[in-house]
Amino acid sequence: MRDVDLNLLTALDVLLQERSVTRAAGKLGLSTSAMSRTLSRLREALDDPVLVPAGRAMVLTPHAEAIAEEVHALSASAQAVLRPPQPVDPRHMEREFTIRANEAFTQLYAAKLSAAVSAVAPGVRLRFVPKPDKDIGPLRDGTVDLEIGVISEDAGELRAQTLYRDSYVGVARTGHPLLDGLVTPERLCAWGHVVFARRRGRSSPADEALAALGLARRVTVVVPGFPAVIAVVSASDLLGLVPRSACLTLPGYDIALFELPVAMPELVISQIWHPRMDADAGHRWLRAMVFEAFRKGP
């Protein structure tokens, strides 16, 4: 197969419409001589004269007449395919977006985000799914459109935009004996702990900091999420370590927060997506809606 020059397709379409080398050249912003050379290339490619003189005018050959409509449709399709995505009108968008996030995000922001989206894009549905781990596979294979959380160390090609910064705090039931005095690493480790753990055997930054002091927490309960940590803490003498924002989701529990006696790294919460969605107009709109929701707060 010979290589196909799409520029020839566009030039042929204009020539068939204008039936004039001079007018076609003007429409394409070319010189008349350049347009004549293009016509010569078209004649060679099609093995047909295409345009021939008829007095002072030019007329199409039978073959040119026969392909004119198809050429125009192909030219329009090629230009549409190669044109940058057009801005999306959310009022007419019919689409479902899958967002993977932890319980804290869903409880704090799902209702607010859904209301904001429905107000301007009634045809858009948001599907929230749990985030049991930091596996980036769902973003890569497209089963998840957007993820909210801390970006994984092996995020590879993923894109991320910071939404807010969080920090860990200690949590205990109101009236817990620990709160009667200064919270030291030794006193923190004297009580049992309930922890949220995704991976068996993986130590947290708090455990690493305590280990550097020759200390270790006594973990007696492991639960699947931070809300569960708070629920267990509120009904027992166990202690927990959770992101400060997680405490905003459960105002009904009788708990007290305390600053940790060891240094903990800051949590950078981001919205994360695969680069193939960078230029997708609908996805860009969704990211803007999520960013605005976090900017205004819960």
Side-chain angles (χ1 to χ4, degrees):
M1 292 180 63
R2 292 178 295 175
D3 292 335
V4 176
D5 185 347
L6 286 180
N7 289 315
L8 287 181
L9 179 64
T10 300
L12 177 59
D13 182 37
V14 174
L15 280 167
L16 296 180
Q17 292 182 65
E18 298 295 332
R19 304 190 183 203
S20 164
V21 172
T22 302
R23 289 197 300 272
K27 194 167 184 179
L28 292 175
L30 301 174
S31 65
T32 303
S33 59
M35 195 73 240
S36 294
R37 291 194 295 272
T38 299
L39 177 57
S40 295
R41 292 178 61 197
L42 284 166
R43 285 169 170 166
E44 181 180 356
L46 295 172
D47 194 21
D48 184 85
V50 184
L51 279 173
V52 294
R56 294 185 177 182
M58 298 192 78
V59 295
L60 302 182
T61 64
H63 180 62
E65 289 275 11
I67 65 174
E69 185 175 337
E70 183 178 5
V71 167
H72 184 65
L74 287 172
S75 178
S77 296
Q79 292 182 46
V81 168
L82 298 175
R83 188 179 301 125
Q86 299 302 300
V88 66
D89 184 350
R91 295 172 302 174
H92 303 122
M93 184 162 48
E94 297 286 337
R95 190 165 176 179
E96 178 178 282
F97 292 103
T98 299
I99 301 174
R100 189 168 78 153
N102 61 30
E103 293 173 89
F105 166 82
T106 304
Q107 293 180 19
L108 271 175
Y109 290 96
K112 177 183 177 181
L113 180 60
S114 298
V117 166
S118 296
V120 295
V124 169
R125 177 194 302 172
L126 301 182
R127 179 185 297 275
F128 295 95
V129 297
K131 182 182 177 181
D133 50 45
K134 293 184 179 181
D135 179 22
I136 63 178
L139 286 171
R140 282 178 167 166
D141 64 27
T143 55
V144 168
D145 297 299
L146 193 67
E147 182 169 309
I148 309 297
V150 177
I151 191 165
S152 173
E153 295 177 356
D154 61 347
E157 73 279 11
L158 299 184
R159 303 284 191 265
Q161 180 185 31
T162 298
L163 296 174
Y164 70 99
R165 298 176 185 275
D166 205 350
S167 59
Y168 275 99
V169 293
V171 59
R173 65 170 176 81
T174 300
H176 194 289
L178 177 75
L179 305 175
D180 291 339
L182 179 67
V183 178
T184 64
E186 291 77 12
R187 292 188 69 216
L188 181 70
C189 293
W191 296 90
H193 284 248
V194 52
V195 302
F196 162 45
R198 288 195 179 101
R199 296 183 184 177
R200 184 184 296 273
R202 183 177 181 180
S203 62
S204 72
D207 292 315
E208 293 171 0
L210 290 168
L213 300 175
L215 299 170
R217 289 189 294 169
R218 178 167 52 87
V219 176
T220 59
V221 179
V222 179
V223 294
F226 291 124
V229 170
I230 296 172
V232 172
V233 161
S234 70
S236 69
D237 282 339
L238 298 177
L239 304 177
L241 278 62
V242 299
R244 190 179 299 272
S245 63
C247 301
L248 299 175
T249 65
L250 300 167
Y253 287 102
D254 195 10
I255 57 172
L257 307 184
F258 59 89
E259 297 301 321
L260 298 176
V262 292
M264 289 280 284
E266 184 180 55
L267 294 170
V268 180
I269 309 302
S270 304
Q271 57 175 333
I272 309 160
W273 66 95
H274 194 273
R276 71 170 178 279
M277 306 304 291
D278 266 346
D280 182 89
H283 199 277
R284 292 174 67 178
W285 169 83
L286 174 66
R287 299 198 303 266
M289 294 293 290
V290 171
F291 185 82
E292 182 65 11
F294 274 88
R295 187 184 69 82
K296 292 181 177 179

